[in-house]
Amino acid sequence: MKRPLPALARALACRLLMGAAVRLLGQQQSEWAQAMRAEVVSMGSEREALSFAWGCLCAALGHALAATRGGLAQVHTAGVLSCAIAVLAGCAFMVSAGAPAHYAWMNLLSLAFAVATFGLLPRRRLQADELLRARLSFALGALWLAASLGQAADGASAWLPVGPVALNLAWLLLPALLVASDVRPGSAAGRWAWGGLLLACGALALQADAVLLGLVAAVLCVRACQRGGGALALLSLGAAALAAQRGPAWQAPEALAFVDQVVCRGFEQSLATGLVLALLQVLPLWPALRHRRARLHGLVWGLLLALSLPGWLPSPLVGFGGSFIVGYLLSLALLGADASERPATRPPAAAAGGGRAPPSWPRTGLT
């Protein structure tokens, strides 16, 4: 006897819904998918099976969205987009406000170089291998200190001429070094990272940069409170002491148009321009607001932003300065995986001993 058409339609819809749910769960959750299929097959009523299949699809979709929202690829996408928008809008402001023509061109070229470099870096390997990130942080600190020692006879400076372009190593390397050195304390990677931080503090002390030494102390203090590392706490205290000792030798730089306090200059033009620039200035913090893995990155760049408001540092990304643009994406690429966010390779029901009971997928009551 043939089944009526509505029953065939329900059976086909159930099959399609289950196929979509299985695809969303993927290979890692294949045991859940098998349990779902077994329960659907065991149901005698097409209406009940369809209701269960719909609930499975909704739950699988929620699982997939949660995994996507926490994934490092989405952090990278959000960061690159926010950086590009801030830089492009800042260039538009500079052109409209009469800045020197090469300001916008240099920022655009820096953005293109930063995006190209970001795409070439082995981000997945950097994410998974904390020892590689720690060694890289040590290499960045060694490069920075070597450059500072090479200039010590004439007065150490963060500026390093590379052909016709001058790079500010502090703005370029410090955010990346702070992010890359975020590894487990006490491990081999932790010792490499600790060495890189010591070298960076030495370079900042040679340059008498009390502001950035204070930033390092603040970041390490937060990390020590979160991880409970005694070495990090000691290094934070050491950086704070160096900042206090070098404070009298530090002088606030002379404010330059389209470089420093760009938001204030926007408000001088109009309220709307100032509000837009203020929004663009905080846009690079967007990845940290949406993704847990980027919170250290957001802390570093939030502090840089706060220090730029009184004019102690240039305005990141929206103002003229390619070192900050490259430094933003470099530090974003060095983010590591958060162990607390890694999905379990096996569902709890499968990990437990004994028989494997089907997971309790929600039934939606679809009729």
Side-chain angles (χ1 to χ4, degrees):
M1 180 179 177
K2 293 184 178 180
R3 289 187 290 178
L5 183 59
L8 289 173
R10 289 194 191 102
L12 178 60
C14 182
R15 184 182 294 273
L16 292 174
L17 292 175
M18 288 302 303
V22 170
R23 275 185 166 273
L24 287 171
L25 286 174
Q27 187 63 34
Q28 287 188 339
Q29 309 298 340
S30 60
E31 295 184 2
W32 280 2
Q34 292 174 8
M36 289 160 48
R37 284 184 184 275
E39 186 162 347
V40 168
V41 171
S42 66
M43 291 178 179
S45 168
E46 287 89 354
R47 189 183 298 272
E48 186 180 4
L50 180 60
S51 177
F52 182 79
W54 176 257
C56 288
L57 177 64
C58 293
L61 183 60
H63 177 83
L65 288 176
T68 298
R69 190 163 50 246
L72 199 60
Q74 278 62 42
V75 179
H76 289 161
T77 301
V80 172
L81 283 176
S82 60
C83 177
I85 292 171
V87 172
L88 292 175
C91 290
F93 167 72
M94 286 189 282
V95 170
S96 64
H102 71 277
Y103 279 19
W105 282 111
M106 288 298 296
N107 273 18
L108 290 174
L109 289 174
S110 298
L111 177 63
F113 176 79
V115 172
T117 304
F118 184 84
L120 293 174
L121 287 173
R123 298 191 301 278
R124 289 188 178 181
R125 185 183 174 193
L126 289 168
Q127 171 193 351
D129 192 345
E130 70 172 13
L131 182 58
L132 176 61
R133 296 197 309 273
R135 287 175 173 171
L136 184 57
S137 70
F138 183 87
L140 294 177
L143 172 65
W144 189 2
L145 182 61
S148 300
L149 289 173
Q151 301 172 340
D154 302 324
S157 170
W159 292 98
L160 178 67
V162 180
V165 180
L167 301 177
N168 190 298
L169 294 182
W171 307 339
L172 177 66
L173 300 182
L174 181 59
L177 193 150
L178 289 173
V179 170
S181 62
D182 184 29
V183 297
R184 291 173 299 168
S187 61
R191 291 188 287 273
W192 280 99
W194 209 74
L197 291 169
L198 279 175
L199 294 173
C201 289
L204 289 172
L206 285 175
Q207 296 162 14
D209 199 329
V211 169
L212 290 183
L213 279 169
L215 183 146
V216 172
V219 172
L220 295 183
C221 180
V222 172
R223 281 170 50 184
C225 292
Q226 291 176 343
R227 293 181 174 267
L232 286 175
L234 287 175
L235 188 54
S236 174
L237 290 174
L242 277 176
Q245 192 269 334
R246 291 295 186 178
W250 181 82
Q251 293 182 349
E254 182 181 354
L256 298 175
F258 305 106
V259 177
D260 305 288
Q261 298 179 302
V262 174
V263 176
C264 295
R265 185 177 179 88
F267 276 112
E268 291 174 359
Q269 289 196 358
S270 68
L271 177 62
T273 302
L275 290 175
V276 170
L277 287 173
L279 179 62
L280 291 170
Q281 187 75 91
V282 300
L283 186 60
L285 306 182
W286 177 35
L289 298 176
R290 291 183 53 85
H291 303 279
R292 180 178 177 178
R293 298 184 184 192
R295 286 182 182 172
L296 175 60
H297 185 266
L299 172 65
V300 173
W301 285 93
L303 290 173
L304 288 172
L305 170 61
L307 293 172
S308 73
L309 295 178
W312 296 345
L313 290 175
S315 299
L317 305 187
V318 296
F320 173 59
S323 298
F324 268 137
I325 298 172
V326 180
Y328 180 86
L329 290 186
L330 179 60
S331 59
L332 188 72
L334 295 180
L335 282 174
D338 190 342
S340 64
E341 292 184 2
R342 292 172 186 167
T345 56
R346 301 181 69 186
R356 295 178 182 174
S360 56
W361 295 91
R363 302 188 184 224
T364 61
L366 181 66
T367 57

